[in-house]
Amino acid sequence: MISVEEALDKILNFVEILGGEEKPILDCLGQVLAEDVYASLDVPPQDNSAMDGYAVKAEDIAEASYEHPKVLSVVGEIAAGCVSNLTVEPGTAVRIMTGAFVPQGADVVVPFEDTDEVDRRASLVSSPEINIRVGLSGGSNIRRRGEDISKGELVMKAGKLLRPAHIGVLASLGKGTVAVIRRPMVGILATGNEVLEIDKPVLPGKIYNSNSYSLAAQVLMYGGVPKLLGVAPDNMEQLAEAVRRGFDCDMLVTSGGVSLGDYDVVKQVLAAEGDISFWTVRMKPGKPLAFGTFKRGDGKKIPHLGLPGNPVSSMITFELFARPAIFKMMGRGNLIRSNITAILEDSIKNSDGRRIFARV
């Protein structure tokens, strides 16, 4: 019987980071970049307005105030997405919308609220002029070209876990696809003569296969791709056949059949078809836990984690051992859960020295 740490080390020392794949960026959420990403353009691509207002020369409005506004001639308007050849000369202004490219000659944008535009519209007086009521320094309310990202800049390094904001950055660079470390496929097999598939009518002495679905949900939660292999009875030949159906997977997970009972045959199949690394761990629940490898016909070894059949034990051992393995295969960090300090309100008795994983 080995410790939890020894068991985890054996598992993590065997599994390796998987290869990369090119995918649409929206399908890459929660995956890890397999290559560095460099910017092929500036973001934003040109100086643009951060406000709805008027593009002007800062020197023209240096002395402007609400008491002594500066009157400028409006020579045109630029909406976001439009290309304009307008130029701001001394004494002129261009009406501009947020996101529109700043016209040549302008070096500041004055927001609508710092002009008399609202008053002019209320009076229904049409005029080619605008009163600027504040003085602003050059560069005010302008987003500079390349301010967010410069062309050629290293934007994200390989190994970055992609979250929603990263997907948005990739889109801002015009990248529709990106190379990421692929998600591991995890084969999930329930064992036991008493286990019944959930689409079958209930029978005396049988229980429905809940473990496969809770484990598959955990695989999905942690970024893997579950492959349900069904239920195998406590028969070595049929169990071995069911296991082989998962030989295209990156890891096999079974539930049940790893205790010391007469019908617990998973360890026997593992010994006959591959190698056993360990089969008991000093923990409660989860003591009957097997780890080893199945050998395919091409010689490749597939890691196998044999979990207890008890639903609570099965989910706890998956959390402690399968989750870190999945994370490592995906190239992710945070293999080990962080610890917090808490105070027990009930007593817990430890009669045999195993580490207790109490549900709270």
Side-chain angles (χ1 to χ4, degrees), residues 67-112:
E67 293 76 20
H68 303 285
K70 176 69 176 182
V71 181
L72 300 177
S73 298
V74 180
V75 296
E77 178 173 315
I78 306 175
C82 294
V83 177
S84 172
N85 58 2
L86 290 172
T87 298
V88 174
E89 303 287 353
T92 67
V94 170
R95 193 170 187 269
I96 192 169
M97 301 297 105
T98 301
F101 293 159
V102 176
Q104 185 176 350
D107 58 359
V108 63
V109 172
V110 180
F112 285 157

Side-chain angles (χ1 to χ4, degrees), residues 12-32:
L12 293 182
N13 286 335
F14 182 86
V15 300
E16 297 178 346
I17 297 177
L18 301 176
E21 59 181 354
E22 188 85 10
K23 296 174 60 177
I25 56 174
L26 201 55
D27 295 338
C28 296
L29 185 65
Q31 289 183 260
V32 172

Side-chain angles (χ1 to χ4, degrees), residues 10-269:
K10 288 180 181 291
I11 295 170
L12 293 182
N13 286 335
F14 182 86
V15 300
E16 297 178 346
I17 297 177
L18 301 176
E21 59 181 354
E22 188 85 10
K23 296 174 60 177
I25 56 174
L26 201 55
D27 295 338
C28 296
L29 185 65
Q31 289 183 260
V32 172
L33 276 177
E35 62 184 10
D36 294 340
V37 174
Y38 290 87
S40 59
L41 46 78
D42 290 321
V43 180
Q46 282 187 233
D47 293 356
N48 68 89
S49 178
M51 304 286 287
D52 293 335
Y54 288 85
V56 303
K57 288 181 174 294
E59 60 189 33
D60 279 348
I61 62 169
E63 304 298 326
S65 67
Y66 272 74
E67 293 76 20
H68 303 285
K70 176 69 176 182
V71 181
L72 300 177
S73 298
V74 180
V75 296
E77 178 173 315
I78 306 175
C82 294
V83 177
S84 172
N85 58 2
L86 290 172
T87 298
V88 174
E89 303 287 353
T92 67
V94 170
R95 193 170 187 269
I96 192 169
M97 301 297 105
T98 301
F101 293 159
V102 176
Q104 185 176 350
D107 58 359
V108 63
V109 172
V110 180
F112 285 157
E113 53 265 34
D114 291 323
T115 72
D116 67 343
E117 173 165 308
V118 174
D119 297 337
R120 288 174 182 266
R121 289 197 172 206
S123 65
L124 301 178
V125 175
S126 178
S127 172
E129 296 179 335
I130 191 71
N131 283 352
I132 306 297
R133 293 170 167 172
V134 295
L136 297 174
S137 58
S140 295
N141 300 316
I142 292 178
R143 293 186 288 233
R144 293 300 183 187
R145 174 177 181 170
E147 180 179 299
D148 296 331
I149 301 172
S150 299
K151 184 178 180 178
E153 178 184 344
L154 174 60
V155 180
M156 298 180 205
K157 290 185 178 181
K160 170 70 71 176
L161 177 65
L162 295 178
R163 301 189 185 280
H166 302 123
I167 302 299
V169 170
L170 292 170
S172 75
L173 296 172
K175 293 187 69 67
T177 64
V178 70
V180 290
I181 297 171
R182 68 177 181 85
R183 301 180 187 273
M185 182 183 292
V186 181
I188 300 172
L189 176 66
T191 70
N193 293 333
E194 77 282 11
V195 182
L196 192 65
E197 284 288 19
I198 62 173
D199 59 350
K200 304 295 183 184
V202 65
L203 296 171
K206 303 292 185 179
I207 58 172
Y208 280 125
N209 176 20
S210 62
N211 279 356
S212 287
Y213 291 89
S214 57
L215 295 174
Q218 286 179 289
V219 171
L220 285 171
M221 176 180 287
Y222 298 133
V225 179
K227 179 180 180 180
L228 294 176
L229 301 174
V231 178
D234 296 319
N235 173 282
M236 285 193 61
E237 183 177 333
Q238 291 177 276
L239 179 56
E241 181 181 347
V243 164
R244 295 188 193 103
R245 294 200 298 268
F247 275 6
D248 60 337
C249 297
D250 300 295
M251 182 168 69
L252 286 168
V253 175
T254 59
S255 62
V258 290
S259 297
L260 299 177
D262 294 340
Y263 296 97
D264 293 324
V265 297
V266 170
K267 294 195 303 296
Q268 299 175 45
V269 172

Side-chain angles (χ1 to χ4, degrees), residues 28 44 70 79 96 110 128 146 152 267 270 280 298 334 340 357 359:
C28 296
K70 176 69 176 182
I96 192 169
V110 180
K267 294 195 303 296
L270 183 57
T280 53
D298 59 2
N334 301 322
I340 63 172
F357 289 87
R359 279 77 67 204

